[in-house]
Structures are given as C-alpha cells and as structure tokens.
Amino acid sequence: MKKVAIFLALLSAAVFAQGTLTDKRDGKKYKTVKIGEQVWMAKNLEYKANKKGKHGGLYNWETAMKACPAGWHLPSDNEWQTLINSTGDSEFAGRQLKTKSGWDKKSNGTDKYGFSALPGGSAGESTAFGKTGCDGGCWWSATVATEDGIDDAAYARQINYDRSEDESEGLSADRFYEVKKAMFSVRCIKD
C-alpha cells in the first residue's frame, strides 16, 4: 500500500510541478507550472503592455507576439489545445485552470494544475464580443486565424465568468478568433 501511495505522489508531481522565472528585462518574478510536457507561466505577463489591467497586462496581437522573455514564446493554437487536452477537455478545463479566488464566488475554479487563470478581461476593438469585451479571461495564441476569409485576426482562448442559473457556464476553455487590434492577456510557454 505504501508503494502505491509513493507512486501516485510521483505521478502527480510529474503532471503538475511549479517553479519560478525572473524576467531579466524588468526583474519581475513569475511562477511557472509544468502541466504534462509543457511549462507555462502561472501568471499573466506584465512586460510593456499596451494597457495595464488588474491581473496583468493587456496586449494587442502584434505586441503579444514579441512580449515573452528569452526562452519563452506566445503559445500557438496547438500548444493551447495540448494544455486543454492535458487538463481533461475544453468542456471542463476552464474550471480546473481558474484560481480558487479572484473571480466572483460562483465563478472561482479549482486551480487543479496551478495554472492560476484570472479574469484579465479585454480592451480595444472586439468583433466576437461586441462592446462588452471578454467576459472573464482571454489569452492570445500566436496562430493567425484562417476562417471565414478573414485576414486580420488570430486565435485566442477564453475562460468565462459563470452567469448561468445552474452554474454550468465558466467551466470551459473556449477557442475563438478575434481582430488583432483587440487587447488580451498573454501567457508565455517555455521554448
């Protein structure tokens, strides 16, 4: 029985391990987390943002593409999908990636993997959400959108507040595309 407990402890450490990163450009420290085979920042980037938000900087896509420190990069749409797959699936990943506090009480998550997603919101132009912007947290990917004949948009991920009566919203981590002028949060992934 003791061997099984040790094995399970080692297995969980391999799936979810934390570290730190110091951004040499400005000295800011960021927690990092290894989920599956990927290492992610466990906090939204705050370096030279287009706009400062309560939970990190907000970046248009062009700035986001150059914002990550050396050895890190803006994740591709496929890298985001790998994260989602490692945490279950897109239907429930949002709840597991959200912090335990920092959202409204109904929308807080479990932070099961230490990703610590917070509702950074959005700023600027928005075609997907009209004038309301991102209702929760939205993060850019490095992948240009190729749908519907658009030529100035990129894919992003969104985790929402739960606005439903039965607490069924806010569970997912949804993929969408947005014009590159919109401003979202950035999470960097290790090269």
Side-chain angles (χ1 to χ4, degrees):
M1 187 67 146
K2 187 174 182 180
K3 289 181 183 180
V4 171
I6 291 170
F7 173 74
L8 290 174
L10 290 172
L11 180 63
S12 67
V15 173
F16 165 47
Q18 288 191 318
T20 58
L21 159 73
T22 301
D23 189 338
K24 293 178 182 175
R25 302 170 298 179
D26 61 5
K28 285 195 181 182
K29 294 184 187 286
Y30 296 89
K31 287 183 181 178
T32 63
V33 62
K34 182 176 183 182
I35 303 172
E37 296 300 313
Q38 298 176 315
V39 178
W40 289 82
M41 284 184 169
K43 182 179 177 185
N44 293 340
L45 187 67
E46 297 179 23
Y47 180 75
K48 290 192 176 180
N50 298 109
K51 182 176 180 178
K52 297 283 183 174
K54 180 179 176 183
H55 300 298
L58 296 175
Y59 301 81
N60 65 34
W61 187 80
E62 297 293 337
T63 305
M65 288 294 291
K66 301 176 274 185
C68 294
W72 296 75
H73 63 274
L74 188 66
S76 69
D77 188 50
N78 286 337
E79 287 171 318
W80 274 108
Q81 191 58 49
T82 298
L83 171 68
I84 300 307
N85 293 344
S86 295
T87 59
D89 62 27
S90 61
E91 188 175 347
F92 297 104
R95 180 72 54 150
Q96 296 180 58
L97 295 173
K98 287 179 179 180
T99 54
K100 293 179 182 178
S101 63
W103 298 74
D104 58 36
K105 184 178 179 182
K106 186 175 160 183
S107 298
N108 287 324
T110 65
D111 205 14
K112 181 176 180 179
Y113 298 94
F115 189 79
S116 303
L118 284 165
S122 67
E125 292 186 30
S126 178
T127 57
F129 304 104
K131 296 184 185 210
T132 61
C134 176
D135 187 25
C138 286
W139 297 267
W140 281 119
S141 85
T143 306
V144 173
T146 58
E147 298 178 32
D148 302 331
I150 57 174
D151 61 354
D152 191 33
Y155 291 110
R157 295 292 167 149
Q158 177 176 11
I159 301 174
N160 288 325
Y161 279 101
D162 187 344
R163 305 283 188 222
S164 67
E165 295 289 324
D166 62 358
E167 298 187 22
S168 61
E169 292 177 10
L171 301 175
S172 64
D174 299 318
R175 175 186 188 248
F176 67 102
Y177 61 87
E178 184 58 89
V179 294
K180 294 177 182 176
K181 291 179 183 177
M183 287 187 261
F184 297 146
S185 299
V186 165
R187 284 296 177 103
C188 302
I189 187 170
K190 194 169 185 179
D191 293 348

